């Protein structure tokens, strides 16, 4: 279990929190109300197209602005939401808000912008995920061909057939699928071959320290070339340094994402990124 004393520095202490309470339990207790009270907010991080040097999409990343816990990153509460089933109402809210935001963003731009939404495998279970997506598309009038759904391979170990059918239905609606955190889960190559995906997000652990550890460059370039040979987009996450970007150019990587370009930011700050060439 998490403990309050070992919480990340970014957490603010709250009067309501009693020292000694189990952090996980405390989060669980507050989640349902938090969804009701709209305490969640979506930040957006740009993905840059290596060919044009411009932003081609925005990944929606949820944060919890909790009056009790402070500003909370997703890795602290998404796993708990998955365990408790609360990821369904939260995931529904995330889809809806991302499409609403996406609609506004697209309306104010002269070039196309895609929106990427992370989805947990738990959201695929039970109730019909496809109709949840359809309902939100209808409500928001968001263009499905502008939508990417990001799924993580580590969450795909269960019921591949089920997931395959859902992905096929989403594809038929014009939605594109990305395999997230590639290389960190199981049976990666099997998924590349058998799932109807459009691109692969290569986990940030592959780009980190490429200058220091001598074999890392070869691993990364091999993954990129494999992905591209399968006619899929190769998106590298976690690009922080200019030297990493230069290496990715050598590898003919398709897209990049990382702090070098921008951290995830609120929708109101996105205008600072648009219309400027990110990679020069
Ligand atoms: P992810 O989908 O792989 O998202 C990328 C994560 O890497 C984000 O962390 C982002 O802030 C971080 N990142 C991006 N560039 C860099 C970089 O250059 N350096 C470093 N060190 N990190 C970078 P974040 O926002 O904390 O999200 C973590 C994970 O939480 C996400 O990983 C995703 O699995 C999950 N998550 C976030 N939002 C959602 C959501 O709306 N729904 C679901 N189901 N999961 C979400
Ligand atoms: Mg993602
Ligand atoms: Mg990732
Ligand atoms: Mg992830």
């Amino acid at each position: 279990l998490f403990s309050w004393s070992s919480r990340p520095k970014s957490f603010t202490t709250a009067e309501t929190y009693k020292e000694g309470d189990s952090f996980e339990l405390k989060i669980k207790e507050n989640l349902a109300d938090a969804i009701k009270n709209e305490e969640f907010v979506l930040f957006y991080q740009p993905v840059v197209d290596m060919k044009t040097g411009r932003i081609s999409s925005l990944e929606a990343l949820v944060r919890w602005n909790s009056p009790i816990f402070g500003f909370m990153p997703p890795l602290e509460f998404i796993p708990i939401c998955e365990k408790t089933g609360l990821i369904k109402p939260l995931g529904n809210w995330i889809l809806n808000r991302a499409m609403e935001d996406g609609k506004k963003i697209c309306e104010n731009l002269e070039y196309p912008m895609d929106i990427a939404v992370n989805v947990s495998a738990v959201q695929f279970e039970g109730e019909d995920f496809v109709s949840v997506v359809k309902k939100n598309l209808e409500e928001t009038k968001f263009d499905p061909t502008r939508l990417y759904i990001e799924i993580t391979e580590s969450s795909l170990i269960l019921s591949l057939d089920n997931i395959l059918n859902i992905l096929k239905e989403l594809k038929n609606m014009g939605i594109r699928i990305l395999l997230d955190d590639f290389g960190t889960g199981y049976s990666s190559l099997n998924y590349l071959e058998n799932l109807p995906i459009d691109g692969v997000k290569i986990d940030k652990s592959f780009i980190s320290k490429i200058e220091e550890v001598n074999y890392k460059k070869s691993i990364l370039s091999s993954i990129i070339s494999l992905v591209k040979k399968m006619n899929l987009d190769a998106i590298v996450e976690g690009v922080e340094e200019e030297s990493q970007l230069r290496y990715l150019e050598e590898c003919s990587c398709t897209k990049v994402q990382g702090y070098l370009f921008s951290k995830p930011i609120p929708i109101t700050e996105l205008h600072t990124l648009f219309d400027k060439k990110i990679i020069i």
Side-chain angles (χ1 to χ4, degrees):
L1 286 185
F2 303 103
S3 76
W4 185 253
S5 54
S6 65
R7 71 195 184 275
K9 278 194 215 74
S10 59
F11 281 35
T12 55
T13 0
E15 294 156 344
T16 35
Y17 181 78
K18 280 195 230 75
E19 194 69 44
D21 281 357
S22 147
F23 187 39
E24 184 171 341
L25 266 177
K26 201 73 196 156
I27 293 178
K28 212 185 284 182
E29 260 173 42
N30 285 283
L31 267 172
D33 278 345
I35 296 170
K36 248 187 280 155
N37 301 337
E38 295 234 9
E39 290 170 19
F40 293 94
V41 51
L42 294 185
F43 274 27
Y44 292 90
Q45 188 182 33
V47 174
V48 181
D49 188 315
M50 299 279 278
K51 264 208 203 96
T52 63
R54 289 185 185 277
I55 300 172
S56 55
S57 64
L58 296 166
E59 179 177 7
L61 294 157
V62 70
R63 275 91 181 90
W64 181 9
N65 226 332
S66 164
I68 297 170
F69 305 110
F71 193 75
M72 187 144 20
L75 289 176
E76 297 290 340
F77 61 88
I78 292 283
I80 302 173
C81 288
E82 288 172 346
K83 268 194 248 168
T84 54
L86 284 164
I87 193 68
K88 282 191 184 171
L90 178 61
N92 182 56
W93 180 89
I94 290 167
L95 272 169
N96 194 278
R97 181 53 56 85
M99 289 180 197
E100 248 177 38
D101 286 350
K103 184 109 174 89
K104 277 186 222 148
I105 293 165
C106 293
E107 270 167 9
N108 292 315
L109 282 174
E110 267 136 43
Y111 48 91
M113 184 62 62
D114 297 322
I115 302 290
V117 179
N118 291 283
V119 168
S120 303
V122 186
Q123 288 171 260
F124 285 173
E125 286 164 14
E127 120 201 25
D128 190 4
F129 178 72
V130 175
S131 51
V132 171
V133 174
K134 272 190 187 143
K135 190 199 75 186
N136 284 309
L137 283 168
E138 278 159 22
E139 267 176 36
T140 59
K141 310 256 178 334
F142 186 73
D143 176 358
T145 66
R146 296 260 75 96
L147 182 66
Y148 278 112
I149 295 280
E150 295 191 8
I151 49 165
T152 47
E153 53 175 324
S154 51
S155 61
L156 289 179
I157 19 180
L158 301 164
S159 57
L160 191 64
D161 276 353
N162 200 10
I163 284 162
L164 194 60
N165 286 333
I166 293 170
L167 295 187
K168 278 183 190 157
E169 278 193 72
L170 295 173
K171 294 282 298 172
N172 288 339
M173 292 158 65
I175 296 167
R176 284 164 296 167
I177 314 291
L178 298 176
L179 195 53
D180 204 352
D181 301 345
F182 181 74
T184 60
Y186 309 91
S187 323
S188 316
L189 300 178
N190 176 37
Y191 289 130
L192 277 195
E193 212 182 325
N194 295 311
L195 292 178
I197 54 173
D198 298 277
V200 171
K201 299 190 78 169
I202 299 164
D203 190 71
K204 50 180 168 289
S205 56
F206 291 95
I207 189 82
S208 83
K209 302 201 174 76
I210 49 163
E211 299 295 345
E212 289 126 80
V213 186
N214 56 30
Y215 56 81
K216 290 201 84 174
K217 279 187 172 173
S218 331
I219 295 180
L220 182 60
S221 67
S222 308
I223 296 177
I224 293 170
S225 91
L226 171 72
V227 168
K228 292 193 67 180
K229 275 184 191 135
M230 300 182 85
N231 283 321
L232 302 169
D233 252 358
I235 305 143
V236 172
E237 303 185 294
V239 181
E240 295 180 350
E241 289 153 35
E242 201 68 40
S243 60
Q244 294 174 329
L245 178 63
R246 297 283 96 92
Y247 183 65
L248 292 169
E249 279 169 346
E250 272 176 49
C251 298
S252 308
C253 172
T254 5
K255 288 170 181 162
V256 281
Q257 181 177 0
Y259 295 168
L260 179 64
F261 315 104
S262 170
K263 290 198 168 179
I265 53 176
I267 183 173
T268 50
E269 286 170 31
L270 284 174
H271 65 92
T272 59
L273 295 173
F274 294 144
D275 292 326
K276 87 176 170 206
K277 215 166 161 102
I278 303 286
I279 302 176
I280 302 166

